[in-house]
Amino acid sequence: MAHDDRTKIIPRRTPESAAMLASVQRAMAITAALNRLTFNDADEVRTLFGDLIGRKVDDSFVLIPPFYTTGGTDTRVGRNVFINQNCTFYDLGGLDIADDVMIGPNVSILTSSHPLEPSQRRASVIAKPVAIERNVWIAGSVTIIGGVTIGENSVVAAGSVVTRDVPPNTLVAGNPARVIRSIGD
């Protein structure tokens, strides 16, 4: 398996894996509180989400619970970001969401996985970052796999599975997602 400088490998039964478990437990406690809130509790949602990621979010940030994550501290969000309900962010590899991004319902962003070899699957976690650039729209029920960048102004069509970089100013769709056409003014 090829690795680049953005790949994190966390072996089982190490201090790094213990820290990962502690992060998951912390995130589950915060998201349990967050998921008791409603759309009308926007200020409290922002406060709890800021606690989750370890930094204050802009007043323009909107998240509709429920929301699930395995960490939170490796997520960064910009201004005017909208995250619809029932999204799952596995952010161990790092997740950067730029300004003006819209994320539809039931979106999964999975920055971590396991080795393919059967004898090694439980031996470690492999994590790669995801970057979502400015003014991207990710439609409902999309899955984004670690190691990709979604280019500025792009749209990922509903139900797509993104396994490689999305060029700026494009519409992608399918499994695996492929460029359908250019978009823009």
Side-chain angles (χ1 to χ4, degrees):
M1 172 186 287
H3 301 292
D4 63 26
D5 61 350
R6 302 178 311 158
T7 301
K8 273 198 268 190
I9 299 173
I10 301 172
R12 191 173 175 195
R13 296 188 180 105
T14 63
E16 293 87 1
S17 66
M20 181 180 65
L21 177 59
S23 179
V24 169
Q25 291 169 331
R26 176 190 163 279
M28 291 184 85
I30 294 171
T31 56
L34 190 148
N35 289 336
R36 287 191 288 273
L37 301 174
T38 68
F39 181 78
N40 294 325
D41 300 315
D43 290 336
E44 193 170 351
V45 167
R46 275 190 287 279
T47 297
L48 283 173
F49 193 84
D51 291 346
L52 181 70
I53 68 170
R55 58 190 69 81
K56 184 181 183 318
V57 294
D58 191 79
D59 288 343
S60 62
F61 174 82
V62 175
L63 179 141
I64 302 174
F67 173 79
Y68 307 95
T69 187
T70 56
T73 57
D74 292 308
T75 296
R76 283 158 293 291
V77 296
R79 293 186 335 247
N80 201 34
V81 169
F82 173 77
I83 300 171
N84 212 323
Q85 61 191 5
N86 209 40
C87 289
T88 301
F89 294 178
Y90 281 22
D91 69 333
L92 180 63
L95 173 56
D96 289 312
I97 302 171
D99 295 344
D100 303 313
V101 169
M102 298 186 308
I103 299 176
N106 302 308
V107 168
S108 294
I109 302 174
L110 311 172
T111 69
S112 56
S113 67
H114 297 277
L116 293 177
E117 299 79 16
S119 65
Q120 296 300 308
R121 273 189 207 141
R122 295 181 187 269
S124 63
V125 173
I126 301 168
K128 295 180 180 183
V130 168
I132 301 171
E133 294 181 346
R134 192 184 72 73
N135 204 36
V136 165
W137 171 25
I138 300 169
S141 299
V142 166
T143 300
I144 301 171
I145 305 301
V148 302
T149 296
I150 313 292
E152 184 173 9
N153 298 319
S154 292
V155 176
V156 180
S160 297
V161 178
V162 180
T163 60
R164 58 183 170 256
D165 290 350
V166 173
N169 304 300
T170 58
L171 167 66
V172 299
N175 180 7
R178 62 180 176 41
V179 174
I180 302 300
R181 66 180 180 92
S182 294
I183 57 174
D185 299 330

